[in-house]
Amino acid sequence: MCGIVGYTGKKQAAPILLEGLTKLEYRGYDSAGVAVSDAYGRIEIAKAQGKLDVLKEKIDGGKTMHGACGIGHTRWATHGVPNETNAHPHCNDDSTIVAVHNGIIENYAELKAKLIRRGYQFYSQTDTEVATKLVDYYYKKHGEPLKAIAEFSLRVRGSYALAVLFSDYPEEIYAIRKDSPMVIAATGKECFLASDVPALLKYTKNVYYIENDQIAHLKNGQTSFYNIDGDPVEIPLTHITWDAQAAEKDGYEHYMLKEIHEQPRVIKDTLGYFIQNGKIDFSELNLTDAYLKSVNKIIIAGCGSAYHVGVAMQYVIEDLARIPVRVELASEFRYRSFISDGKELVIIISQSGETADSIAALREAKSRGLKTLAIVNVVGSTIAREADFVFYTKAGPEISVATTKAYSAQLVAGYLIALKFAEAHSLLSDGQYRELLSELCLLPEKIKTILEKDTAIQQFAFHCMDKKNAFFIGRGLDYAVSMEGSLKLKEISYIHSEAYAAGELKHGAISLIEDGTLVFGILTQDELAEKTVSNLEETKSRKAQLAVVAFEGTEVPKSCECVFYVPRTDARFAASLSVIPLQLYAYYLSVSKGNNVDKPRNLAKSVTVE
Ligand code: G6P
């Protein structure tokens, strides 16, 4: 949700800022801007409405701006329509203080009124212009950037990752964050700042994650950190294992296709890391058997696809480990006064580890004294830092807004957690345990065979270009996958789509089925398949067009126009296979409609606002 970058060093800043923003464009792409300061503190600003390419063209790839220090921003609009005036950076009246911001200043209206009373004028509708002018106000009062930023942080409510240039301090950047991500790096010659690691990978893998309300000062290739009292603080260096190549397209037309094809490797890596000598090894997580035994209920919270993983995990954990599981949308969880006996484990699932609602759910759980386990992809992210236990998925950087490989890695994390609980509660014989682990280890090869059938899926997707409505239906785990298939389709193809528990369709939504409505059935749960087939037939009688994803050997309705068989596996792990054709289907449909697959309209990958 908005990406910010900063650079100070010896090179021209603008091309480096644009390159960094390219890596962060998944966070927002309705406008972009950069500000560059020269050695005398003269700050020049360039902004453009629309995708980053528009800005790149406007400033000729950065060549028209001169200076070795700067900040940049790619926006996902919150306050104010996406236009050039509302685009960041924002500045004070004489452009001597310039800032970019990711987050939301909740009390911006009150602060704006106060600043207007003190003679400030406003030109944009943004909360960021208010933030910038508030820093200006305190800078004029204290005459010191550090004090100005510290007082700013005391006056604002909300979230912010704020990077500021002061023309009195040429070639230096000041930054502060609260509940919005920020990583900082220094190489001795240059300093970098960004909302996310991919923007820095080309330059370094050693980064600093600053905590809430810590201030960073970037100067002469070195960084210093302070608390809001102005006292220096030490921040540990975190080493990132991802390489820069992992954040490139590698010859694929889109990141999404590349990431779909990376899934066998991602699953293999995640399994390989946590299965040691034929046993699940959670020593890194510090989850002891004694603790696992003491858990009497699990609550899972997440947003979007992460929530869908939670829905799938619910079935798997309850079945394997016999522990009651409740799945919550993270955005709802924090506002419900749930009843707790203090022994629940709250699992927060999040690729980015920065989703505002998921962070809030985690904090709510902690404030109730509950233990929290995070399933997170991004090392050092807020959720990873704040949770009691962390399961890092090994998906590597995911760039496409619509998640695929992170979803698959989270599913595998869910299977391992379910099995670990089952083991701790002595619910599996050695033979069953071994069999389930070896079944898991076969998933990557099975996914490869599905990916090879890509052409059939592509052809069917092209036939569906004009569809207006689609339903994805299934029962049990197939319902969990239906939710993800439906979300993928609507996110990137803009076709209205709903997921329904197959048995529920007849209680209302069936009234929407008409000639040609696409109904996708998922059939991997053998004992439920017949019933879902009946539900599919009911829609066929109302002239729906049927498609099915099914385990090999499943009886499917004869009237299906398209059947994608996937190899069999243990039914509890089926989601890892049945989701693949659905991802490919959504991808090819989006391509055939000429949509921007990796950056679908109105969306952002990391939603850091509530
Ligand atoms: C956004 C993304 C989704 C993602 C959700 C949760 O809505 O577009 O793909 O599932 O956020 O993100 P998280 O990083 O918490 O998994």
Side-chain angles (χ1 to χ4, degrees), residues 343-386:
K343 286 201 203 145
E344 295 92 343
L345 170 68
V346 177
I347 302 181
I348 306 288
I349 310 176
S350 174
Q351 186 283 129
S352 62
E354 298 294 349
T355 302
D357 288 321
S358 305
I359 293 173
L362 174 91
R363 290 180 182 163
E364 175 65 25
K366 291 190 80 166
S367 75
R368 303 284 295 266
L370 300 179
K371 290 277 183 224
T372 52
L373 161 62
I375 300 176
V376 175
N377 194 39
V378 179
V379 174
S381 55
T382 303
I383 292 177
R385 290 202 308 272
E386 294 188 13

Side-chain angles (χ1 to χ4, degrees), residues 22-23 197-199 201 242-250 255 258-259 262 396-399 405:
T22 308
K23 296 281 184 290
V197 167
L201 281 178
W242 298 352
D243 61 25
Q245 191 58 29
E248 300 298 333
K249 267 194 218 159
D250 257 354
Y255 281 110
K258 178 198 170 209
E259 288 160 6
E262 281 180 309
E398 191 178 59
I399 311 293
K405 63 172 179 170

Side-chain angles (χ1 to χ4, degrees), residues 464-486:
C464 295
M465 256 172 75
D466 299 325
K467 290 278 172 235
K468 297 276 176 280
N469 293 296
F471 285 87
F472 288 74
I473 67 169
R475 288 168 181 252
L477 262 167
D478 288 337
Y479 172 47
V481 174
S482 300
M483 295 169 108
E484 180 59 8
S486 171

Side-chain angles (χ1 to χ4, degrees), residues 1 17 20 141 179 222 242 255 301 376 383 392 395 427 454 466:
M1 204 108 289
L17 296 172
K141 184 171 157 194
D179 293 341
Q222 310 289 338
W242 298 352
Y255 281 110
V376 175
I383 292 177
Y392 278 118
L427 291 171
D454 168 271
D466 299 325

Side-chain angles (χ1 to χ4, degrees), residues 149-255:
I149 289 175
E151 192 155 355
F152 154 89
S153 76
L154 295 172
R155 292 290 171 269
V156 295
R157 278 199 313 275
S159 58
Y160 43 83
L162 187 81
V164 193
L165 300 178
F166 293 84
S167 63
D168 290 344
Y169 296 81
E171 307 197 320
E172 299 178 27
I173 303 174
Y174 284 86
I176 185 166
R177 75 170 279 260
K178 179 168 174 266
D179 293 341
S180 287
M182 187 186 285
V183 273
I184 287 168
T187 63
K189 289 185 181 143
E190 301 170 297
C191 297
F192 302 87
L193 160 166
S195 298
D196 198 1
V197 167
L200 307 184
L201 281 178
K202 187 175 164 191
Y203 307 100
T204 180
K205 288 186 181 180
N206 296 320
V207 302
Y208 298 100
Y209 288 95
I210 58 170
E211 297 291 339
N212 276 350
D213 283 333
Q214 287 180 335
I215 300 170
H217 179 205
L218 286 63
K219 183 185 173 184
N220 288 340
Q222 310 289 338
T223 54
S224 322
F225 303 104
Y226 304 89
N227 61 22
I228 47 169
D229 296 325
D231 304 323
V233 288
E234 289 288 321
I235 296 187
L237 207 55
T238 302
H239 182 72
I240 306 292
T241 52
W242 298 352
D243 61 25
Q245 191 58 29
E248 300 298 333
K249 267 194 218 159
D250 257 354
Y252 283 92
E253 199 180 341
H254 298 101
Y255 281 110

Side-chain angles (χ1 to χ4, degrees), residues 280-297:
I280 299 169
D281 182 350
F282 275 0
S283 46
E284 185 185 271
L285 278 70
N286 290 326
L287 273 173
T288 61
D289 278 359
Y291 172 69
L292 291 169
K293 264 190 199 158
S294 73
V295 173
N296 68 355
K297 192 173 159 205

Side-chain angles (χ1 to χ4, degrees), residues 303-306 349-353 355 358 401-403 410 491 604-605 607:
C303 300
S305 299
I349 310 176
S350 174
Q351 186 283 129
S352 62
T355 302
S358 305
V401 166
T403 177
Q410 289 163 353
E491 273 181 314
K605 185 155 190 69
V607 182

